[in-house]
Amino acid sequence: MWRFALTLDYDGVDDYVRANADTPCLNPDWRPPGGHLTAVLGDDGRHHLFRDQVALCTGVFYMSEVAAAMRDRRGMSRGLDATTQTALGARLVAEAEELRRQFATEEYVRHDGRIPHDRICSWWTDGTSYRMFAPKTAPPEHQRRPLTDEQVTWSVGLVGGPVDPSTVPPSRRCTFVGGRSVWPAYLGTDRLSRIRQQLTDHAGPLCHACGRTTGMVVDHDHFTGMCRGLVCWDCNAWLDTCPHLKGCPWAEYLNAPPALGLQLRHPQAAKDHQHDRARIDYLGFDPIAPARSWTRRR
């Protein structure tokens, strides 16, 4: 509850925990998409991510084409019970995915084997400097959205064979919206990559918190600096909002971190000390002083 301690008092945190005690942190019906991931080098110098031979980084989703093809399915769930609706929904999602795969293949053929890409590039500029987002000193109307955006399209030809996506450095990957959660974590030779490999060997490649998708991020306790496990991007972002003491995958993970016995110190632990010191000064006290260990590893 560290993040809530900065904005709520004791009663506020208590109210939050009680109000959300019966609300599950994870949707039990959600399942990650299946398929085998590979990466292929393109003539643009980037590796492109594929799932079962469908490029994921194109930015082309064929939404209007799929909607038109499935127009006659509208209203099919009316009058059905919840169980039947769920089964129907899963079938329609699978059908829509198959249609996207079909449209992607047709597009690939139309472009003579080249893969079309579509992006909206946005940036802020004052005429001298260029940034992804406006600085805090910019006028309020510039804070809400970039000043400039432009749609860019191009096509890519494949020049290499499929490789393991985890071996492709981030700088050589074709990025796309949501791609950070799909591209496997890079297994390089730096210290963080070595820790990631240790965690994978210790508890497997799936997220150690939810167990539903690939673990990407080396999660660590910001108080002690010790690694807790390998988690997906969603769990890394929301794990610490879990209000449960037990009976929840996130609570079980936090109560007994899989990597605790490995005693691996996160490379960013020293920076956490600086950030937490500012928070402690704001609160006026250190909430878990006895558990801290700021001795740097030599």
Side-chain angles (χ1 to χ4, degrees):
M1 309 309 293
W2 181 234
R3 68 174 68 185
F4 296 111
L6 299 176
T7 55
L8 301 174
D9 56 16
Y10 284 108
D11 291 336
V13 172
D14 183 70
D15 290 342
Y16 173 83
V17 171
R18 293 179 184 276
N20 293 279
D22 297 326
T23 303
C25 290
L26 302 174
N27 178 1
D29 297 324
W30 183 87
R31 294 293 181 272
H36 180 60
L37 292 177
T38 58
V40 182
L41 179 64
D43 56 12
D44 59 350
R46 300 264 179 170
H47 280 80
H48 299 265
L49 190 64
F50 286 76
R51 176 182 283 121
D52 288 345
Q53 306 188 340
V54 174
L56 302 180
C57 57
T58 63
V60 183
F61 303 108
Y62 309 101
M63 296 178 65
S64 59
E65 292 89 342
V66 171
M70 300 184 68
R71 186 178 292 113
D72 60 338
R73 276 64 156 190
R74 293 176 182 174
M76 290 180 63
S77 62
R78 291 176 187 157
L80 301 178
D81 60 76
T83 302
T84 308
Q85 283 187 3
T86 300
L88 176 62
R91 182 168 66 83
L92 292 177
V93 167
E95 188 175 340
E97 190 59 37
E98 182 58 35
L99 284 169
R100 288 192 189 93
R101 189 177 292 108
Q102 174 187 326
F103 291 134
T105 302
E106 293 172 356
E107 189 89 350
Y108 181 76
V109 173
R110 279 198 301 271
H111 286 79
D112 297 324
R114 298 183 68 82
I115 301 173
H117 283 62
D118 192 326
R119 295 286 190 280
I120 294 180
C121 302
S122 304
W123 64 91
W124 178 92
T125 180
D126 58 2
T128 303
S129 60
Y130 292 81
R131 303 164 53 110
M132 288 186 63
F133 303 102
K136 294 181 179 179
T137 55
E141 61 270 21
H142 295 173
Q143 296 282 351
R144 290 189 291 272
R145 63 180 301 276
L147 287 179
T148 308
D149 54 47
E150 183 175 341
Q151 186 168 5
V152 181
T153 60
W154 73 100
S155 63
V156 175
L158 302 179
V159 297
V163 299
D164 182 352
S166 66
T167 64
V168 180
S171 62
R172 304 300 301 274
R173 298 176 174 185
C174 181
T175 60
F176 56 99
V177 175
R180 191 172 69 165
S181 299
V182 184
W183 271 99
Y186 175 54
L187 298 179
T189 57
D190 60 288
R191 184 180 170 196
L192 194 59
S193 293
R194 294 197 302 271
I195 291 176
R196 189 180 290 115
Q197 185 63 62
Q198 285 181 270
L199 296 176
T200 299
D201 294 341
H202 178 69
L206 293 180
C207 174
H208 298 171
C210 70
R212 304 191 298 186
T213 187
T214 304
M216 308 278 191
V217 184
V218 177
D219 173 53
H220 69 292
D221 187 327
H222 287 234
F223 293 109
T224 65
M226 306 307 293
C227 296
R228 296 188 294 202
L230 189 66
V231 300
C232 64
W233 285 105
D234 280 348
C235 287
N236 184 63
W238 302 105
L239 185 65
D240 290 327
T241 65
C242 175
H244 307 106
L245 299 179
K246 59 182 180 179
C248 168
W250 284 355
E252 302 301 335
Y253 170 86
L254 293 171
N255 290 336
L260 190 61
L262 298 179
Q263 289 295 293
L264 300 172
R265 188 171 177 81
H266 197 280
Q268 299 295 321
K271 290 185 178 180
D272 291 337
H273 184 193
Q274 300 171 1
H275 296 161
D276 289 348
R277 183 55 56 192
R279 293 169 176 167
I280 292 167
D281 291 342
Y282 175 82
L283 286 174
F285 67 96
D286 186 345
I288 57 167
R292 290 190 177 277
S293 175
W294 297 118
T295 304
R296 297 195 65 176
R297 186 166 133 188
R298 298 183 182 278

